[in-house]
Amino acid sequence: MPPDVIRGREWHGRGVSLFAWTNEPDDSRQPPLISEHGGRVIGLNGHLADPADVTRLPDDSVGGCFSGWFAGDGELAASTAINRVCPVFYAETPELHVVGSRALLVHLAARPDDRIEYDVLALQAMVRQGFFLSDETPYQGVSALRPSSRLTVRDGVRSITETPLLEAAPAPTSARDKRAAIGELADALLATVAPLRDLGEPVNLALTGGRDTRILAAVLHAARVPFRATTNGLDTHPDVIIARRIAAKLGVEHTVIAPPQTAAKDAVLVEHPLSRAWETLRTCEGMTSAYESIVSYLPYSGKPTMSGQSGETLRAGSLNLLQTDLSDKALLRRIDNTFRKDGKLFTAAANEHARELAAPWLARPNRLEALDHIYIWYKVGRWQASARAGALRRGDPVRPFLDNRVARAALSLDQGWRLSEEVIYALILRLAPELRDVPIEGKPWRFAEGLTPRKPRWFWRDHVPPEHMPTAKTGGGWSWRTSPGPALSAVLREQVLGSLDALAPIVNPDEVRALFAGPVVTKPGPAWHLYTVSTLLTGLYPGKQPEGLEEITVSRPDPAR
């Protein structure tokens, strides 16, 4: 972001310095960047549900989305919340311990010169999945602190303590116990949004016909937080139809933003991927693929906004949600493939490294729990944490599902029960019973399969969910990223094949050439990931922003549609 929007504060003690920067335009956010409480200097990255809780840090029960930083003479500490979406990175040299929220800054501060040394083997996960499935970073000697962990440096000696992720309780077997468990999750969500009640302006909720934003509408309604809803789409789309019904039931203002109606096109002009990669590397520090669309910079806005991002936490994580076969063999295969997919594309060393990273997760006897925790550790704690850096340049959107207390409450519930979606359905009815007859968009509720008014299950003997509304096929699913066409494929190919020497420690050159052999890349995900890692290793960033790059024409593969 532009240097003139950055403000900073700093504190210095014996052998310790603490620096903090923000793009927020004033000091209205509490607690401040750096504050002193009872002789402790405390820095906060992110926000607390209750600013007064700053004096309790580090405390696993504090609500908010944050990491904490603590300094005193001869002592420095940092801590992560349960999903580490506000990251902590650290490095050590014979002279220094460096701890920070930006991995590249930590690396450069720890080096005796201004050269960057990459951990090429660690980047094998970036090529496979487009984000890190480990505590590694692209930078040699820099690691990410694990979830619910505290790093302490005292008189030059570093120690790390870690609290294991919560072990879920068995699924409750009585209606009373189910209500009690759901009540704890409801209380955590209500506490997260309670501070929004007195903001002076309504929260803008991006509302769809799906599950996660419906939960948020119910939470805001129950907490008496003023909000308005916005939905993107045509009046005939299920998202708009259902969102309008939800808003009407809850008595809130609803705005529909129709997509621009343009003439049918058989091609689009897109930015050169080198520009896209530079911006992604600059924002996400080589920990997110240029395949992803990162939110671009806009001047900071304090207006409260909310979306259903990371709502899968309440449903046992996205990896479990991908499964239709819940047999032990199928779940084990999902874990293994998450870490070791596309094995032929990689060198023996890269595959062995992936095998080592997968081993502790494959050894877990509870496969649903393993996939649930992998989602929190890596999909949220590495991918979400990295990609979120783009959105934070515009403001700090409210993300209840990323709240420390909410994540803890969710993880304490049995994975199979959460995966059934009974938890979130009961949660919605508890917080906003007005929504009991509003259908869901997409697939039916998982727990309701086979449920009819004549054959209700005992917990739902007084109510059967309404029929779902299938997702509408609009024909607008084409994307230039996933169907890159020959011109864009050629640009990706030229960069990747021209830098195979840099990629040689982790990929098999012949397999990479085969990936790009056709005129159009058939596996765009790995192609974009390779392109991102290639541009990183060959020095695109840090460096001057690419200039004079022409846009690229990407033709629609089925222009007759």
mmCIF file of all heavy atoms in Angstrom, residues 315-334 365-369 371 414-421 446 449:
data_model
loop_
_atom_site.group_PDB
_atom_site.id
_atom_site.type_symbol
_atom_site.label_atom_id
_atom_site.label_comp_id
_atom_site.label_asym_id
_atom_site.label_seq_id
_atom_site.Cartn_x
_atom_site.Cartn_y
_atom_site.Cartn_z
ATOM 1 N N ARG A 315 -18.725 -26.864 10.105
ATOM 2 C CA ARG A 315 -19.206 -28.075 9.436
ATOM 3 C C ARG A 315 -18.081 -29.088 9.243
ATOM 4 O O ARG A 315 -18.074 -29.848 8.288
ATOM 5 C CB ARG A 315 -19.834 -27.705 8.096
ATOM 6 C CG ARG A 315 -21.098 -26.884 8.240
ATOM 7 C CD ARG A 315 -21.777 -26.649 6.915
ATOM 8 N NE ARG A 315 -21.162 -25.549 6.163
ATOM 9 C CZ ARG A 315 -21.084 -25.502 4.837
ATOM 10 N NH1 ARG A 315 -21.516 -26.507 4.109
ATOM 11 N NH2 ARG A 315 -20.548 -24.463 4.243
ATOM 12 N N ALA A 316 -17.087 -29.067 10.146
ATOM 13 C CA ALA A 316 -15.984 -30.042 10.155
ATOM 14 C C ALA A 316 -14.962 -29.819 9.057
ATOM 15 O O ALA A 316 -14.189 -30.715 8.732
ATOM 16 C CB ALA A 316 -16.497 -31.482 10.107
ATOM 17 N N GLY A 317 -14.931 -28.620 8.461
ATOM 18 C CA GLY A 317 -13.870 -28.271 7.527
ATOM 19 C C GLY A 317 -14.158 -28.661 6.093
ATOM 20 O O GLY A 317 -14.886 -29.618 5.818
ATOM 21 N N SER A 318 -13.556 -27.920 5.174
ATOM 22 C CA SER A 318 -13.845 -28.128 3.755
ATOM 23 C C SER A 318 -13.367 -29.477 3.244
ATOM 24 O O SER A 318 -13.945 -30.038 2.303
ATOM 25 C CB SER A 318 -13.208 -27.005 2.925
ATOM 26 O OG SER A 318 -11.792 -26.995 3.070
ATOM 27 N N LEU A 319 -12.304 -30.030 3.831
ATOM 28 C CA LEU A 319 -11.803 -31.319 3.344
ATOM 29 C C LEU A 319 -12.803 -32.426 3.636
ATOM 30 O O LEU A 319 -13.015 -33.327 2.821
ATOM 31 C CB LEU A 319 -10.448 -31.629 3.984
ATOM 32 C CG LEU A 319 -9.319 -30.669 3.620
ATOM 33 C CD1 LEU A 319 -8.062 -30.977 4.421
ATOM 34 C CD2 LEU A 319 -9.019 -30.745 2.130
ATOM 35 N N ASN A 320 -13.438 -32.406 4.807
ATOM 36 C CA ASN A 320 -14.478 -33.383 5.105
ATOM 37 C C ASN A 320 -15.708 -33.159 4.240
ATOM 38 O O ASN A 320 -16.373 -34.109 3.808
ATOM 39 C CB ASN A 320 -14.876 -33.316 6.584
ATOM 40 C CG ASN A 320 -13.917 -34.082 7.481
ATOM 41 O OD1 ASN A 320 -13.474 -35.164 7.137
ATOM 42 N ND2 ASN A 320 -13.578 -33.509 8.627
ATOM 43 N N LEU A 321 -16.027 -31.896 3.966
ATOM 44 C CA LEU A 321 -17.206 -31.595 3.162
ATOM 45 C C LEU A 321 -17.055 -32.069 1.720
ATOM 46 O O LEU A 321 -18.051 -32.263 1.017
ATOM 47 C CB LEU A 321 -17.483 -30.081 3.193
ATOM 48 C CG LEU A 321 -18.030 -29.543 4.513
ATOM 49 C CD1 LEU A 321 -17.972 -28.024 4.538
ATOM 50 C CD2 LEU A 321 -19.459 -30.022 4.734
ATOM 51 N N LEU A 322 -15.809 -32.248 1.265
ATOM 52 C CA LEU A 322 -15.578 -32.758 -0.084
ATOM 53 C C LEU A 322 -15.898 -34.247 -0.196
ATOM 54 O O LEU A 322 -16.046 -34.776 -1.301
ATOM 55 C CB LEU A 322 -14.114 -32.525 -0.485
ATOM 56 C CG LEU A 322 -13.687 -31.078 -0.741
ATOM 57 C CD1 LEU A 322 -12.173 -31.000 -0.902
ATOM 58 C CD2 LEU A 322 -14.378 -30.529 -1.981
ATOM 59 N N GLN A 323 -15.995 -34.916 0.959
ATOM 60 C CA GLN A 323 -16.159 -36.372 0.961
ATOM 61 C C GLN A 323 -17.627 -36.781 0.845
ATOM 62 O O GLN A 323 -18.488 -36.239 1.531
ATOM 63 C CB GLN A 323 -15.592 -36.956 2.264
ATOM 64 C CG GLN A 323 -14.077 -36.906 2.363
ATOM 65 C CD GLN A 323 -13.403 -37.795 1.353
ATOM 66 O OE1 GLN A 323 -12.607 -37.337 0.566
ATOM 67 N NE2 GLN A 323 -13.721 -39.085 1.367
ATOM 68 N N THR A 324 -17.874 -37.741 -0.026
ATOM 69 C CA THR A 324 -19.165 -38.417 -0.034
ATOM 70 C C THR A 324 -19.019 -39.808 0.583
ATOM 71 O O THR A 324 -19.951 -40.325 1.189
ATOM 72 C CB THR A 324 -19.715 -38.537 -1.462
ATOM 73 O OG1 THR A 324 -18.728 -39.149 -2.306
ATOM 74 C CG2 THR A 324 -20.055 -37.154 -2.014
ATOM 75 N N ASP A 325 -17.822 -40.370 0.427
ATOM 76 C CA ASP A 325 -17.502 -41.674 1.016
ATOM 77 C C ASP A 325 -16.757 -41.421 2.327
ATOM 78 O O ASP A 325 -15.653 -40.875 2.331
ATOM 79 C CB ASP A 325 -16.630 -42.466 0.043
ATOM 80 C CG ASP A 325 -16.278 -43.861 0.560
ATOM 81 O OD1 ASP A 325 -16.607 -44.169 1.726
ATOM 82 O OD2 ASP A 325 -15.662 -44.634 -0.198
ATOM 83 N N LEU A 326 -17.359 -41.787 3.439
ATOM 84 C CA LEU A 326 -16.755 -41.540 4.753
ATOM 85 C C LEU A 326 -16.125 -42.801 5.333
ATOM 86 O O LEU A 326 -15.879 -42.878 6.542
ATOM 87 C CB LEU A 326 -17.808 -40.993 5.722
ATOM 88 C CG LEU A 326 -18.414 -39.636 5.358
ATOM 89 C CD1 LEU A 326 -19.407 -39.189 6.419
ATOM 90 C CD2 LEU A 326 -17.329 -38.579 5.180
ATOM 91 N N SER A 327 -15.833 -43.782 4.489
ATOM 92 C CA SER A 327 -15.137 -44.977 4.969
ATOM 93 C C SER A 327 -13.716 -44.622 5.369
ATOM 94 O O SER A 327 -13.152 -43.627 4.922
ATOM 95 C CB SER A 327 -15.113 -46.049 3.881
ATOM 96 O OG SER A 327 -14.284 -45.642 2.794
ATOM 97 N N ASP A 328 -13.133 -45.443 6.227
ATOM 98 C CA ASP A 328 -11.781 -45.172 6.702
ATOM 99 C C ASP A 328 -10.798 -45.094 5.541
ATOM 100 O O ASP A 328 -9.926 -44.229 5.500
ATOM 101 C CB ASP A 328 -11.351 -46.262 7.688
ATOM 102 C CG ASP A 328 -10.009 -45.956 8.334
ATOM 103 O OD1 ASP A 328 -9.959 -45.074 9.214
ATOM 104 O OD2 ASP A 328 -9.006 -46.595 7.944
ATOM 105 N N LYS A 329 -10.946 -46.000 4.574
ATOM 106 C CA LYS A 329 -10.042 -46.026 3.421
ATOM 107 C C LYS A 329 -10.147 -44.741 2.610
ATOM 108 O O LYS A 329 -9.128 -44.166 2.191
ATOM 109 C CB LYS A 329 -10.366 -47.240 2.545
ATOM 110 C CG LYS A 329 -9.455 -47.401 1.339
ATOM 111 C CD LYS A 329 -9.825 -48.657 0.558
ATOM 112 C CE LYS A 329 -8.915 -48.827 -0.654
ATOM 113 N NZ LYS A 329 -9.266 -50.059 -1.437
ATOM 114 N N ALA A 330 -11.374 -44.263 2.398
ATOM 115 C CA ALA A 330 -11.574 -43.057 1.598
ATOM 116 C C ALA A 330 -11.023 -41.815 2.314
ATOM 117 O O ALA A 330 -10.412 -40.946 1.690
ATOM 118 C CB ALA A 330 -13.051 -42.875 1.287
ATOM 119 N N LEU A 331 -11.238 -41.730 3.618
ATOM 120 C CA LEU A 331 -10.738 -40.584 4.373
ATOM 121 C C LEU A 331 -9.208 -40.597 4.427
ATOM 122 O O LEU A 331 -8.556 -39.541 4.330
ATOM 123 C CB LEU A 331 -11.314 -40.602 5.789
ATOM 124 C CG LEU A 331 -12.833 -40.384 5.883
ATOM 125 C CD1 LEU A 331 -13.306 -40.576 7.315
ATOM 126 C CD2 LEU A 331 -13.218 -39.004 5.386
ATOM 127 N N LEU A 332 -8.628 -41.779 4.555
ATOM 128 C CA LEU A 332 -7.175 -41.892 4.553
ATOM 129 C C LEU A 332 -6.607 -41.448 3.210
ATOM 130 O O LEU A 332 -5.574 -40.753 3.142
ATOM 131 C CB LEU A 332 -6.781 -43.343 4.844
ATOM 132 C CG LEU A 332 -5.327 -43.592 5.288
ATOM 133 C CD1 LEU A 332 -5.059 -42.915 6.621
ATOM 134 C CD2 LEU A 332 -5.079 -45.091 5.401
ATOM 135 N N ARG A 333 -7.301 -41.806 2.141
ATOM 136 C CA ARG A 333 -6.865 -41.396 0.811
ATOM 137 C C ARG A 333 -6.943 -39.871 0.652
ATOM 138 O O ARG A 333 -6.085 -39.262 0.029
ATOM 139 C CB ARG A 333 -7.731 -42.098 -0.242
ATOM 140 C CG ARG A 333 -7.282 -41.844 -1.678
ATOM 141 C CD ARG A 333 -7.933 -42.824 -2.646
ATOM 142 N NE ARG A 333 -9.384 -42.777 -2.582
ATOM 143 C CZ ARG A 333 -10.152 -43.766 -2.123
ATOM 144 N NH1 ARG A 333 -9.612 -44.892 -1.693
ATOM 145 N NH2 ARG A 333 -11.466 -43.656 -2.104
ATOM 146 N N ARG A 334 -7.976 -39.256 1.236
ATOM 147 C CA ARG A 334 -8.101 -37.799 1.180
ATOM 148 C C ARG A 334 -6.927 -37.126 1.897
ATOM 149 O O ARG A 334 -6.355 -36.159 1.402
ATOM 150 C CB ARG A 334 -9.425 -37.373 1.804
ATOM 151 C CG ARG A 334 -9.585 -35.866 2.004
ATOM 152 C CD ARG A 334 -9.729 -35.104 0.700
ATOM 153 N NE ARG A 334 -10.950 -35.446 0.009
ATOM 154 C CZ ARG A 334 -11.307 -34.967 -1.186
ATOM 155 N NH1 ARG A 334 -10.508 -34.115 -1.809
ATOM 156 N NH2 ARG A 334 -12.427 -35.328 -1.763
ATOM 157 N N PRO A 365 -5.662 -41.830 14.393
ATOM 158 C CA PRO A 365 -6.707 -42.852 14.240
ATOM 159 C C PRO A 365 -8.067 -42.274 13.855
ATOM 160 O O PRO A 365 -8.858 -42.951 13.195
ATOM 161 C CB PRO A 365 -6.753 -43.518 15.617
ATOM 162 C CG PRO A 365 -6.212 -42.483 16.566
ATOM 163 C CD PRO A 365 -5.189 -41.713 15.792
ATOM 164 N N ASN A 366 -8.347 -41.035 14.266
ATOM 165 C CA ASN A 366 -9.629 -40.402 13.950
ATOM 166 C C ASN A 366 -9.463 -39.589 12.676
ATOM 167 O O ASN A 366 -8.952 -38.474 12.682
ATOM 168 C CB ASN A 366 -10.073 -39.501 15.108
ATOM 169 C CG ASN A 366 -11.480 -38.946 14.910
ATOM 170 O OD1 ASN A 366 -11.951 -38.776 13.794
ATOM 171 N ND2 ASN A 366 -12.148 -38.637 16.019
ATOM 172 N N ARG A 367 -9.904 -40.149 11.541
ATOM 173 C CA ARG A 367 -9.665 -39.506 10.237
ATOM 174 C C ARG A 367 -10.477 -38.217 10.079
ATOM 175 O O ARG A 367 -9.983 -37.241 9.511
ATOM 176 C CB ARG A 367 -10.026 -40.461 9.101
ATOM 177 C CG ARG A 367 -9.518 -41.875 9.248
ATOM 178 C CD ARG A 367 -8.016 -41.990 9.298
ATOM 179 N NE ARG A 367 -7.633 -43.397 9.227
ATOM 180 C CZ ARG A 367 -6.457 -43.867 9.573
ATOM 181 N NH1 ARG A 367 -5.519 -43.042 10.019
ATOM 182 N NH2 ARG A 367 -6.182 -45.154 9.481
ATOM 183 N N LEU A 368 -11.725 -38.217 10.561
ATOM 184 C CA LEU A 368 -12.524 -36.991 10.474
ATOM 185 C C LEU A 368 -11.865 -35.863 11.251
ATOM 186 O O LEU A 368 -11.832 -34.714 10.794
ATOM 187 C CB LEU A 368 -13.939 -37.237 11.004
ATOM 188 C CG LEU A 368 -14.888 -38.061 10.143
ATOM 189 C CD1 LEU A 368 -16.207 -38.284 10.877
ATOM 190 C CD2 LEU A 368 -15.144 -37.391 8.801
ATOM 191 N N GLU A 369 -11.337 -36.182 12.416
ATOM 192 C CA GLU A 369 -10.644 -35.171 13.211
ATOM 193 C C GLU A 369 -9.386 -34.699 12.501
ATOM 194 O O GLU A 369 -9.079 -33.488 12.480
ATOM 195 C CB GLU A 369 -10.277 -35.724 14.584
ATOM 196 C CG GLU A 369 -9.540 -34.713 15.466
ATOM 197 C CD GLU A 369 -8.983 -35.337 16.724
ATOM 198 O OE1 GLU A 369 -7.955 -36.069 16.627
ATOM 199 O OE2 GLU A 369 -9.561 -35.100 17.795
ATOM 200 N N LEU A 371 -8.741 -34.518 9.276
ATOM 201 C CA LEU A 371 -9.095 -33.627 8.175
ATOM 202 C C LEU A 371 -9.644 -32.298 8.692
ATOM 203 O O LEU A 371 -9.396 -31.237 8.109
ATOM 204 C CB LEU A 371 -10.119 -34.302 7.265
ATOM 205 C CG LEU A 371 -9.550 -35.433 6.394
ATOM 206 C CD1 LEU A 371 -10.671 -36.288 5.820
ATOM 207 C CD2 LEU A 371 -8.684 -34.871 5.273
ATOM 208 N N ASP A 414 -18.261 -32.915 18.087
ATOM 209 C CA ASP A 414 -17.955 -34.101 17.289
ATOM 210 C C ASP A 414 -17.970 -33.794 15.788
ATOM 211 O O ASP A 414 -18.917 -33.167 15.287
ATOM 212 C CB ASP A 414 -18.983 -35.191 17.617
ATOM 213 C CG ASP A 414 -18.780 -36.438 16.790
ATOM 214 O OD1 ASP A 414 -17.870 -37.222 17.101
ATOM 215 O OD2 ASP A 414 -19.542 -36.606 15.810
ATOM 216 N N GLN A 415 -16.931 -34.238 15.080
ATOM 217 C CA GLN A 415 -16.811 -33.926 13.653
ATOM 218 C C GLN A 415 -17.958 -34.526 12.831
ATOM 219 O O GLN A 415 -18.488 -33.873 11.923
ATOM 220 C CB GLN A 415 -15.471 -34.428 13.102
ATOM 221 C CG GLN A 415 -14.281 -33.565 13.447
ATOM 222 C CD GLN A 415 -13.715 -33.845 14.825
ATOM 223 O OE1 GLN A 415 -13.988 -34.889 15.413
ATOM 224 N NE2 GLN A 415 -12.913 -32.926 15.346
ATOM 225 N N GLY A 416 -18.335 -35.747 13.131
ATOM 226 C CA GLY A 416 -19.422 -36.364 12.382
ATOM 227 C C GLY A 416 -20.732 -35.629 12.570
ATOM 228 O O GLY A 416 -21.524 -35.483 11.626
ATOM 229 N N TRP A 417 -20.974 -35.160 13.775
ATOM 230 C CA TRP A 417 -22.191 -34.408 14.057
ATOM 231 C C TRP A 417 -22.194 -33.070 13.318
ATOM 232 O O TRP A 417 -23.171 -32.690 12.692
ATOM 233 C CB TRP A 417 -22.316 -34.198 15.566
ATOM 234 C CG TRP A 417 -23.615 -33.586 16.000
ATOM 235 C CD1 TRP A 417 -24.846 -33.786 15.433
ATOM 236 C CD2 TRP A 417 -23.806 -32.698 17.089
ATOM 237 N NE1 TRP A 417 -25.798 -33.072 16.125
ATOM 238 C CE2 TRP A 417 -25.192 -32.385 17.144
ATOM 239 C CE3 TRP A 417 -22.962 -32.138 18.043
ATOM 240 C CZ2 TRP A 417 -25.728 -31.535 18.107
ATOM 241 C CZ3 TRP A 417 -23.498 -31.297 19.010
ATOM 242 C CH2 TRP A 417 -24.866 -30.992 19.028
ATOM 243 N N ARG A 418 -21.052 -32.374 13.349
ATOM 244 C CA ARG A 418 -20.958 -31.110 12.604
ATOM 245 C C ARG A 418 -21.107 -31.342 11.113
ATOM 246 O O ARG A 418 -21.753 -30.575 10.406
ATOM 247 C CB ARG A 418 -19.616 -30.429 12.884
ATOM 248 C CG ARG A 418 -19.606 -29.590 14.145
ATOM 249 C CD ARG A 418 -18.334 -28.772 14.226
ATOM 250 N NE ARG A 418 -17.196 -29.563 14.586
ATOM 251 C CZ ARG A 418 -15.975 -29.404 14.108
ATOM 252 N NH1 ARG A 418 -15.734 -28.486 13.178
ATOM 253 N NH2 ARG A 418 -14.981 -30.147 14.512
ATOM 254 N N LEU A 419 -20.501 -32.426 10.611
ATOM 255 C CA LEU A 419 -20.542 -32.719 9.182
ATOM 256 C C LEU A 419 -21.965 -33.018 8.718
ATOM 257 O O LEU A 419 -22.320 -32.751 7.562
ATOM 258 C CB LEU A 419 -19.615 -33.896 8.871
ATOM 259 C CG LEU A 419 -19.408 -34.269 7.406
ATOM 260 C CD1 LEU A 419 -18.838 -33.098 6.614
ATOM 261 C CD2 LEU A 419 -18.478 -35.471 7.295
ATOM 262 N N SER A 420 -22.795 -33.514 9.602
ATOM 263 C CA SER A 420 -24.189 -33.813 9.249
ATOM 264 C C SER A 420 -25.007 -32.551 9.000
ATOM 265 O O SER A 420 -26.114 -32.625 8.466
ATOM 266 C CB SER A 420 -24.851 -34.614 10.369
ATOM 267 O OG SER A 420 -25.185 -33.774 11.470
ATOM 268 N N GLU A 421 -24.481 -31.394 9.416
ATOM 269 C CA GLU A 421 -25.125 -30.079 9.297
ATOM 270 C C GLU A 421 -26.293 -29.899 10.256
ATOM 271 O O GLU A 421 -26.958 -28.868 10.246
ATOM 272 C CB GLU A 421 -25.583 -29.796 7.854
ATOM 273 C CG GLU A 421 -24.448 -29.773 6.856
ATOM 274 C CD GLU A 421 -24.883 -29.409 5.455
ATOM 275 O OE1 GLU A 421 -26.053 -29.675 5.106
ATOM 276 O OE2 GLU A 421 -24.064 -28.863 4.705
ATOM 277 N N ARG A 446 -27.671 -32.194 4.973
ATOM 278 C CA ARG A 446 -27.181 -33.577 5.013
ATOM 279 C C ARG A 446 -27.978 -34.443 5.981
ATOM 280 O O ARG A 446 -28.292 -35.597 5.689
ATOM 281 C CB ARG A 446 -25.699 -33.585 5.406
ATOM 282 C CG ARG A 446 -24.765 -33.072 4.320
ATOM 283 C CD ARG A 446 -23.321 -33.154 4.801
ATOM 284 N NE ARG A 446 -22.407 -32.716 3.746
ATOM 285 C CZ ARG A 446 -21.310 -33.371 3.384
ATOM 286 N NH1 ARG A 446 -20.983 -34.482 3.990
ATOM 287 N NH2 ARG A 446 -20.531 -32.912 2.427
ATOM 288 N N GLU A 449 -31.563 -36.042 4.878
ATOM 289 C CA GLU A 449 -31.781 -37.032 3.826
ATOM 290 C C GLU A 449 -32.662 -38.167 4.347
ATOM 291 O O GLU A 449 -32.374 -38.786 5.369
ATOM 292 C CB GLU A 449 -30.443 -37.588 3.336
ATOM 293 C CG GLU A 449 -29.605 -36.552 2.592
ATOM 294 C CD GLU A 449 -28.312 -37.153 2.072
ATOM 295 O OE1 GLU A 449 -28.199 -38.393 2.041
ATOM 296 O OE2 GLU A 449 -27.406 -36.377 1.714
#
